[in-house]
Amino acid sequence: KQEVTQIPAALSVPEGENLVLNCSFTDSAIYNLQWFRQDPGKGLTSLLLIQSSQREQTSGRLNASLDKSSGRSTLYIAASQPGDSATYLCAVRGGNTGFQKLVFGTGTRLLVSP
Amino acid sequence: NAGVTQTPKFQVLKTGQSMTLQCAQDMNHEYMSWYRQDPGMGLRLIHYSVGAGITDQGEVPNGYNVSRSTTEDFPLRLLSAAPSQTSVYFCASISGMFNGTQYFGPGTRLLVL
């Protein structure tokens, strides 16, 4: 059964810091991995999608990497801002659970202080 | 595009009542799904559909029914609400079956008393 773990569960940093969020998964036979942002009481917003054949994706201050063989992904946030405060979720599609569903981690709750 | 929309935003039910959570998308996506989000358990798949007229069970389907008569709409029905169904429900659609971006609606908060 695919399991997704995110470390740390919570992170508090001052504004301007560069930070890394970690995601690991147990079954490396995935189609893709997606990072989401969730603000309190809101839905999920897709940040980056990495296909299994890719090593990284970038969008603005965000960079996500994927090492499928080791079952790891990282989300790098450069020059963090208070507006980055949210919960970040990673999710994988594929592996022994098939393509039908995304398997989610429980998220990293990020607080960026001014 | 409005993307994925859900109604209602919030609902309170009594045990045993039934209701339908509405979901619609205007992106012409074939694949749609329903998740529930509970503290400490992440998001779990309830039901999904790969196209109009085709639905299947996900990880936690008991107590829920779905149908897909059109590409746009994918309602989730609670047959007889139970307190264990108190949760936040998200509808999602995907742009491509195997390698597309997943889009989520804003969610429906359900409280069952």
Side-chain angles (χ1 to χ4, degrees):
Chain A
K1 177 185 174 184
Q2 179 75 275
E3 293 182 358
V4 180
T5 303
Q6 290 187 247
I7 294 172
L11 184 61
S12 182
V13 300
E15 181 177 8
E17 274 204 8
N18 302 324
L19 54 98
V20 175
L21 307 181
N22 296 294
C23 172
S24 61
F25 47 95
T26 54
D27 187 337
S28 62
I30 62 171
Y31 291 110
N32 54 53
L33 181 145
Q34 198 164 351
W35 282 93
F36 295 90
R37 169 187 172 134
Q38 186 175 28
D39 294 285
K42 304 290 186 182
L44 280 71
T45 301
S46 178
L47 298 172
L48 290 164
L49 171 69
I50 309 177
Q51 304 297 345
S52 61
S53 59
Q54 298 174 321
R55 295 300 299 267
E56 66 177 341
Q57 282 285 340
T58 298
S59 177
R61 294 182 293 109
L62 305 179
N63 176 277
S65 67
L66 175 63
D67 184 342
K68 217 175 67 160
S69 60
S70 67
R72 295 174 190 264
S73 175
T74 61
L75 179 66
Y76 175 81
I77 303 177
S80 58
Q81 303 171 357
D84 294 331
S85 299
T87 296
Y88 291 80
L89 298 161
C90 74
V92 298
R93 184 180 298 279
N96 57 11
T97 55
F99 72 91
Q100 297 91 337
K101 69 173 183 178
L102 286 174
V103 179
F104 283 85
T106 51
T108 293
R109 198 165 54 251
L110 174 65
L111 176 63
V112 182
S113 305
Chain B
N1 285 352
V4 181
T5 58
Q6 291 183 238
T7 56
K9 290 185 178 179
F10 182 70
Q11 183 72 46
V12 179
L13 290 179
K14 294 181 180 178
T15 297
Q17 286 185 316
S18 62
M19 78 161 293
T20 299
L21 281 64
Q22 301 292 343
C23 173
Q25 52 91 10
D26 61 358
M27 298 174 282
N28 202 33
H29 290 168
E30 291 292 332
Y31 185 80
M32 296 183 73
S33 51
W34 277 100
Y35 290 84
R36 60 178 288 175
Q37 186 177 34
D38 301 291
M41 302 192 72
L43 283 89
R44 293 177 293 168
L45 182 67
I46 305 171
H47 284 285
Y48 66 95
S49 169
V50 298
I54 307 170
T55 64
D56 207 344
Q57 297 180 351
E59 188 179 355
V60 287
N62 292 341
Y64 307 95
N65 270 358
V66 292
S67 60
R68 184 96 179 271
S69 56
T70 66
T71 298
E72 294 77 20
D73 300 299
F74 189 42
L76 178 72
R77 279 182 287 278
L78 278 70
L79 309 173
S80 177
S84 61
Q85 294 179 304
T86 293
S87 187
V88 182
Y89 292 85
F90 290 101
C91 179
S93 71
I94 190 167
S95 57
M97 189 71 73
F98 293 97
N99 53 16
T101 297
Q102 186 112 34
Y103 296 90
F104 281 82
T108 294
R109 293 183 174 274
L110 177 66
L111 175 62
V112 182
L113 302 175

